[in-house]
């Protein structure tokens, strides 16, 4: 009797398990193979267009990637350049405009550096010409455009003789005038400076008689050199006499 009860319990247990497994399997099959069809929405969709977004959201309130209010002046300047190039070249993004700004600034730095080097080298050559060209260089061989910067090294007597041989009277008068300024400066009557004018030198001269001679020779120089008038032998000789007499008075 007791064995019969145990067998009944075992059969009852397996029966429940089999029923549970069968129900689960039925659910799985039911979900894997649905009986209902999938409903597809075939209604037409209305396409929305956004044409004016760039103009509508173009204000400063809609720029989130940068803030320069609390930045230094250099950062603000670079941002101003970036905005300028962005508008000038119609660039789409701030990043691309910033790259172009960096390239332009680098080119600007290189140009400034080359200009500084050029002026330094030029100043050294003008001031230390003997060191650059050597002691045996001829002092009279100086470009006409550089004579004003090298009046103390120039041999004006030879320069004037060469100009007279070529009948270049205008150039000869220019050399006479620069020779006169050199002599006045060496006599400490004036303080020569290439940037000064005739009026500046006239004020520096103290003696009245010397002021008159300088005023007259300056007039001849301005008339002949800057006026670009062709002068004949007679006119040149008169101007030459005025300069030579003034120079002699300074040498004595």
């Amino acid at each position: 009797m007791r064995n019969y009860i145990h067998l009944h319990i075992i059969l009852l247990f397996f029966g429940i398990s089999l029923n549970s497994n069968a129900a689960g399997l039925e659910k799985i099959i039911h979900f894997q193979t649905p009986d209902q069809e999938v409903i597809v929405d075939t209604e037409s969709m209305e396409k929305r267009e956004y044409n004016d977004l760039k103009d509508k959201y173009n204000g400063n309130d809609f720029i989130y990637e940068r803030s320069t209010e609390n930045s230094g002046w250099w950062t603000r300047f670079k941002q101003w350049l970036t905005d300028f190039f962005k508008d000038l070249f119609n660039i789409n993004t701030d990043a691309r405009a910033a790259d172009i700004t960096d390239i332009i600034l680098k080119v600007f730095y290189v140009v400034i550096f080359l200009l500084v080097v050029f002026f330094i080298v030029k100043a050294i050559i003008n001031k230390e010409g003997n060191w650059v060209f050597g002691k045996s260089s001829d002092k009279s061989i100086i470009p006409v455009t550089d004579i004003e910067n090298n009046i103390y090294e120039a041999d004006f007597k030879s320069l004037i003789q060469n100009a007279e041989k070529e009948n270049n009277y205008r150039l000869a008068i220019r050399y006479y005038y620069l020779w006169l300024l050199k002599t006045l400066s060496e006599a400490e009557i004036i303080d020569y400076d290439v940037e000064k004018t005739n009026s500046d030198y006239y004020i520096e001269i103290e003696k009245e008689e010397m002021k008159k001679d300088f005023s007259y020779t300056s007039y001849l120089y301005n008339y002949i050199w800057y006026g670009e008038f062709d002068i004949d032998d007679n006119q040149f000789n008169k101007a030459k006499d005025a300069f030579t007499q003034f120079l002699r008075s300074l040498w004595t």
Side-chain angles (χ1 to χ4, degrees):
M1 184 67 179
R2 183 178 298 175
N3 293 334
Y4 175 79
I5 293 173
H6 289 168
L7 179 62
H8 181 74
I9 293 173
I10 292 172
L11 290 175
L12 182 63
F13 174 78
F14 279 104
I16 294 172
S17 300
L18 290 173
N19 290 335
S20 299
N21 292 336
L25 180 61
E26 183 180 358
K27 290 181 179 180
I28 293 173
I29 295 172
H30 176 74
F31 282 108
Q32 289 180 345
T33 58
D35 295 334
Q36 297 179 353
E37 295 181 355
V38 176
I39 300 175
V40 179
D41 187 3
T42 59
E43 295 291 333
S44 61
M45 299 179 63
E46 181 182 355
K47 184 179 179 181
R48 302 182 64 182
E49 296 182 356
Y50 304 92
N51 296 325
D52 301 328
L53 288 179
K54 184 177 180 181
D55 296 334
K56 185 176 180 180
Y57 300 100
N58 195 28
N60 292 328
D61 294 337
F62 301 97
I63 301 176
Y64 305 104
E65 65 272 14
R66 59 182 172 85
S67 177
T68 59
E69 293 181 358
N70 298 325
S71 303
W73 69 269
W74 179 246
T75 303
R76 293 195 298 271
F77 174 72
K78 287 184 66 176
Q79 187 58 57
W80 177 83
L81 281 180
T82 300
D83 295 337
F84 174 77
F85 291 131
K86 182 179 179 182
D87 296 336
L88 180 64
F89 299 111
N90 195 21
I91 302 173
N92 295 328
T93 63
D94 288 341
R96 187 177 179 185
D99 292 340
I100 293 176
T101 301
D102 291 337
I103 294 173
I104 293 176
L105 287 175
K106 289 179 181 177
V107 173
F108 176 74
Y109 297 151
V110 172
V111 172
I112 293 298
F113 175 77
L114 293 176
L115 287 175
V116 170
V117 172
F118 169 77
F119 285 116
I120 291 175
V121 172
K122 184 178 180 182
I124 292 174
I125 291 175
N126 290 337
K127 187 174 181 180
E128 304 292 342
N130 291 334
W131 174 76
V132 176
F133 298 105
K135 296 181 178 180
S136 61
S137 60
D138 189 352
K139 293 183 179 181
S140 65
I141 304 177
I142 302 174
V144 175
T145 55
D146 293 338
I147 291 294
E148 290 185 356
N149 296 320
N150 299 275
I151 62 171
Y152 299 108
E153 290 79 19
D155 184 357
F156 286 108
K157 186 175 181 179
S158 299
L159 292 171
I160 291 171
Q161 289 176 353
N162 293 332
E164 289 180 349
K165 289 178 181 179
E166 297 175 359
N167 294 326
N168 193 344
Y169 296 143
R170 291 183 60 250
L171 185 58
I173 292 300
R174 174 176 171 79
Y175 289 147
Y176 267 117
Y177 176 75
L178 294 176
W179 194 6
L180 178 61
L181 293 181
K182 173 185 176 181
T183 305
L184 290 170
S185 179
E186 290 176 341
E188 297 182 353
I189 297 174
I190 64 171
D191 184 13
Y192 178 77
D193 190 322
V194 69
E195 299 295 332
K196 288 185 178 180
T197 64
N198 296 341
S199 299
D200 295 328
Y201 295 130
Y202 179 83
I203 295 173
E204 293 179 11
I205 299 174
E206 296 180 356
K207 296 182 180 180
E208 290 298 327
E209 188 66 26
M210 193 176 296
K211 281 179 177 289
K212 293 179 181 179
D213 293 337
F214 181 78
S215 178
Y216 179 63
T217 51
S218 297
Y219 163 77
L220 292 174
Y221 168 68
N222 290 333
Y223 179 82
I224 296 172
W225 178 251
Y226 290 109
E228 298 184 359
F229 298 109
D230 294 331
I231 59 176
D232 54 25
D233 294 342
N234 186 34
Q235 292 173 323
F236 171 71
N237 289 328
K238 289 182 178 180
K240 179 180 177 179
D241 290 340
F243 279 100
T244 54
Q245 289 179 11
F246 193 4
L247 286 169
R248 288 172 184 166
S249 67
L250 296 173
W251 293 332
T252 56

